[in-house]
Each structure stands twice: as structure tokens, then as C-alpha cells.
């Protein structure tokens, strides 16, 4: 079962990945400047995780804003096995250093792993190809 | 909304490539250029016999919302194929037909024999989940094949035993957005 996202904005409005009429919104379309929370949920609406984007820097200029990252990562074995995970979280610049906090959610089991920095030497926890707006 | 991606095995001549979905079945290596059930690799009395190289590429049959990218390839990092059997792998920006002497040995996978390789092949089992082979390429919100090809080959020397080698799992990963 696939995990969907819904972006919740500071003014209370939302942008769901999948609208009630079946149409979809793109990850690129999220208004990152007004994001309050990024909600991950099952198709029936049951929540899986909520990632908070409210400014927690207390005005410290050395702490940059959280920048949303989301991907669906697929792992296909030649023996027919397929694992898909949703990775979502944020990266931000703190004292000139880029740091991340990422959730890895197994879509088959619902298990959630909270990761920190990208780990190139760990299964499924390597960095994505970062997009310009991230 | 969600992309559908297959692993395709490419066979045939450059002018008429056959693309076969191998996502859900086993992938066999042998001494003929066939999508499934190639001829076995004979154990040589000396030297090496090679499989025909196998070319894999991802193919999106349902488009993503934005992109498919960040392709990785790896094995479990341990050669469990038995004595006298090993493998190599490289990425390729272009396709080249697998060639050799059918039923006996494929030609060695090398930049000399495959002009689409992006570099010299490396030992297959050097790549594991902790040390992945990066595969260039991506696709936007559309369908079709994408990314460089992953080309691999097994070789057999005279110390190998007769019969089918144990199974190994090759893994491809990619990101969807």
C-alpha cells in the first residue's frame, strides 16, 4: 500500500497529493515558504507521520529554515522482490553546515526509521539527487 | 500517479533490440544472446569461459509525477556462486550486442569489446548495499526506458563444478518524485 502526503500550510489550507476526485498534485507544487506540516498517511487517511515545519530557529541567523525533502525509493531484486519506502524530512543549514533529519517508512510493513545525515554506506539511506528547490 | 517501473533485459542486434521484462523472474547467464534460458557456460579445461554479457535497463511503463532518478545497483557483496565462478559489471551509455561463440563462451566484457561502456568493468561483488554502483540518468514525467544500462558478465574457470550455480540477487534502486 502506498503512502501519500498532504502539505498543511500556515493559513490552515492544505495541498493533498491526491484530491478526493482522484486528481493529483505534484511535490514540486508545494509552497515551501508557507509550510506548517508535511503529513504522511495511508490512502484511507490514517496518519503515519507528521513532519513539523514551523520555524524553530528563535531568530538565530545561523539556523536556516527547514527545507522539505520527499521521495519514494524503490528497491527491486532480480529474484522479483520489491521494497518501496517513503523517505521524508528536512535539511537545513546550521552554522554553515547542511544537516538532515529524515524518516524512512517501509510501505509494506509501516515500520518507521528516524535517520540523521545521509548514509551512503547504509541500505536505502543514501542521499537522493537533490533538486534545486530543496 | 505512482510510476510503474520494470527491469528490462536487452538482447539482439543494435538495429532491433529486444526488451524483455525480467522484474519478476530469475535472470540467467549463459552462452547465447537470449532473454531467457540461454545455453549453459561449459567449464573449460583451462582459461576462462565467459557468459554473454547481460544488459539491464529500467523502463517506466507508467510515468512518475515528476521524475525517476538516483539509480543504484548492487549485490549482496558475497560471491556464493561456488568455486571458479565470478562476475564483473559496468555501466553503459549505449547498447552493444552480446557477442561470442554460442554454446562455448561470450567475449570478455571490456571497453574494447563494448564501445558503450562508461568505464572498465569492476568485480561484481565489490558492489553491495554499503558500496553501490551509481548509474547515470533519469526520466521526467513520461514513460520509456531511462538511465544508463547495467552490463554484467560471469566467468567460469576450470575449478568450477558442473551444474547450475546457486542463485544470487542483483538489486536496482531508484527514487521517484
Amino acid at each position: 500500500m502506498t503512502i501519500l502526503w498532504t502539505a498543511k500550510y500556515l493559513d490552515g489550507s492544505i495541498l493533498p497529493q491526491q484530491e478526493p476526485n482522484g486528481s493529483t498534485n505534484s511535490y514540486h507544487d508545494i509552497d515551501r515558504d508557507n509550510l506548517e506540516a508535511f503529513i504522511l498517511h495511508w490512502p484511507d487517511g490514517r496518519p503515519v507521520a507528521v513532519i513539523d515545519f514551523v520555524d524553530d530557529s528563535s531568530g538565530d541567523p545561523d539556523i536556516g529554515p527547514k527545507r522539505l525533502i520527499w521521495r519514494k525509493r524503490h528497491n527491486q531484486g532480480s529474484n522479483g522482490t520489491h521494497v518501496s519506502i517513503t523517505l521524508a524530512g528536512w535539511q537545513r543549514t546550521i552554522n554553515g553546515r547542511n544537516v538532515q533529519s529524515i524518516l524512512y517508512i517501509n510501505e509494506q510493513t509501516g515500520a518507521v526509521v528516524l535517520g540523521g545525515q545521509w548514509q551512503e554506506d547504509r541500505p536505502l539511506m543514501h542521499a537522493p539527487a537533490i533538486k534545486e528547490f530543496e | 500517479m505512482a510510476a510503474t517501473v520494470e527491469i528490462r533485459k536487452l538482447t539482439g542486434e543494435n538495429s532491433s533490440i529486444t526488451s524483455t521484462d525480467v522484474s519478476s523472474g530469475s535472470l540467467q547467464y549463459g552462452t547465447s544472446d537470449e532473454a531467457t534460458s540461454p545455453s549453459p557456460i561449459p567449464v573449460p579445461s583451462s582459461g576462462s569461459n565467459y557468459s554473454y554479457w547481460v544488459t539491464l535497463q529500467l523502463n517506466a511503463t507508467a510515468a512518475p509525477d515528476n521524475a525517476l532518478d538516483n539509480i543504484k545497483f548492487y549485490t549482496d557483496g558475497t560471491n556464493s556462486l561456488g568455486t571458479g565462478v565470478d562476475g564483473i559489471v559496468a555501466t553503459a551509455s549505449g547498447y552493444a550486442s552480446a557477442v561470442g561463440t554460442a554454446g562455448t563462451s561470450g567475449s570478455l566484457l571490456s571497453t574494447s569489446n563494448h564501445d558503450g561502456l562508461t568505464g572498465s568493468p569492476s568485480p561484481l561483488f565489490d558492489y553491495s548495499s554499503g558500496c553501490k554502483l551509481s548509474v547515470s540518468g533519469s526520466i521526467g514525467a513520461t514513460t520509456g526506458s531511462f538511465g544508463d544500462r547495467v552490463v554484467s558478465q560471469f566467468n567460469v574457470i576450470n575449478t568450477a563444478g558442473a551444474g547450475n550455480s546457486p542463485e544470487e540477487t542483483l538489486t536496482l534502486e531508484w527514487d521517484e518524485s
Side-chain angles (χ1 to χ4, degrees), chain A residues 53 55-69 90-101 117-118 130 132-134:
Chain A
F53 280 87
D55 181 13
D56 58 357
S57 66
S58 301
D60 187 335
D62 291 328
I63 302 177
K66 296 173 180 173
R67 304 188 304 275
L68 172 67
I69 293 176
W90 49 259
Q91 60 178 354
R92 73 194 314 181
T93 304
I94 298 178
N95 291 321
R97 186 160 176 254
N98 191 40
V99 299
Q100 300 97 35
S101 179
Q117 303 295 100
W118 304 121
I130 297 297
E132 188 179 346
F133 50 77
E134 293 176 325

Side-chain angles (χ1 to χ4, degrees), chain A residues 29-41:
Chain A
D29 294 337
I30 296 170
D31 178 0
R32 287 159 172 78
D33 293 331
N34 291 298
L35 190 60
E36 177 182 345
F38 189 72
I39 302 163
L40 297 163
H41 54 86

Side-chain angles (χ1 to χ4, degrees), chain A residues 105-133:
Chain A
I105 306 166
N106 185 310
E107 294 198 336
Q108 283 71 45
T109 66
V112 180
V113 174
L114 174 59
Q117 303 295 100
W118 304 121
Q119 298 182 72
E120 300 302 323
D121 60 350
R122 296 281 302 281
L124 297 167
M125 299 176 81
H126 54 277
I130 297 297
K131 300 179 188 302
E132 188 179 346
F133 50 77

Side-chain angles (χ1 to χ4, degrees), chain A residues 26 72-76 78, chain B residues 25 66 74 170 173 175-176:
Chain A
S26 166
K72 198 171 290 288
R73 178 160 287 170
H74 300 272
N75 176 297
Q76 175 76 51
S78 59
Chain B
N66 296 296
Y74 59 89
L170 310 179
E173 276 184 12
D175 288 348
E176 176 180 356

